[in-house]
Amino acid sequence: MINVVYMATPEIAVNCLQKLLNFNDVNIQAVVTQPDRPSGRGNKLTPPPVKEFALAHNIEVLQTDALKNDEELKDKLRSLKPDFFITFAFGQLLTEEILSIPQIATVNLHASLLPQYRGANPIQRAIYDGKEETGITTMITVLALDAGDICLQEKIKITPDMTDKELMQIISDKAPFIIYPTIKQLYNKVLTPQKQDETKVTIAKKFKKEDAVLDWTKTAQQLHDHVRSMTTWPVACTSINGKNIKVLSTTVLNNDTENENEGEIVNISKNGIEVAAKKGILLIKEIKPEGKPKMDAYAWTNGAKLKTGDKFD
């Protein structure tokens, strides 16, 4: 029996935990996750998704806001004598002391083809950068950020209109089927992790709120990639005639024509708002006006009294 402590927090990590429970030779001893946080309009204390799932399946839940300083919890983990820690979007740095607790290793699942996109935001950054391929990697966790030896990898195609939310779901679905063979092969000593090529390292920096603002001096394709990379957060945004909107869905109509009127509306139809980029035309299909629910972009133009020639900031 392979004994595992699962360290994770958000929704993307729930499916992997669920699937691991179905493998007869895996014993989930406990889940370690972040503390409950205030959420929603009422700031109601809300448990992490991984905690909710674990409690519903009678798995012991251990919560801490800083595992590295939680001596009682570290003692608890030592007493379990796990073969592996599995980390997946856990959100806390682990120390050498913590990494020494498992009998075999701490295995992390990272949502990129390492050494590309080390860091906190690999899913969104790959889409934002217009990549046609990404993947998932299991690796041996070390102190340096996402620098551990690679165990297994699987490539994932990024289709032209795929959003960050859709890619997150694909990664969530594939995660258990790369995690399980990783720990199985490490347990049976038939897998030799391989060092990363440090000459190919790229970093996936977290987006900031100000990164959401669309830059109309970019190409239509770059703007489309921007929008679809941020459907979860911070959500692409722009303004026109003093009105702020979030841009939820777009399509590239033309990515070849050079334009000097960047940000200008060139056509309005039932399909949406056609806007000139530095190069090409971007069709805005769905938006969310400030203080209002999301809506069809064409419907919004009527109330906002937009017309051809108006210009986005």
Side-chain angles (χ1 to χ4, degrees), residues 261-278:
N261 56 336
E262 304 103 321
E264 184 176 304
I265 296 176
V266 297
N267 188 41
I268 298 174
S269 71
K270 290 185 178 179
N271 293 326
I273 308 168
E274 297 178 26
V275 186
K278 180 68 176 177

Side-chain angles (χ1 to χ4, degrees), residues 231-257:
T231 65
T232 53
W233 191 91
V235 185
C237 63
T238 188
S239 62
I240 187 169
N241 297 341
K243 299 177 176 66
N244 298 320
I245 63 168
K246 292 182 177 179
V247 181
L248 307 181
S249 178
T250 57
T251 295
V252 176
L253 295 184
N254 178 316
N255 203 37
D256 298 321
T257 307

Side-chain angles (χ1 to χ4, degrees), residues 214 222-231 236 247-250:
L214 292 172
Q222 288 172 322
L223 290 163
H224 178 57
D225 295 340
H226 183 148
V227 171
R228 65 195 183 99
S229 74
M230 296 187 185
T231 65
V247 181
L248 307 181
S249 178
T250 57

Side-chain angles (χ1 to χ4, degrees), residues 94-107:
L94 304 183
T95 63
E96 193 68 56
E97 178 189 16
I98 295 167
L99 295 177
S100 69
I101 293 175
Q103 307 294 304
I104 299 177
T106 296
V107 174

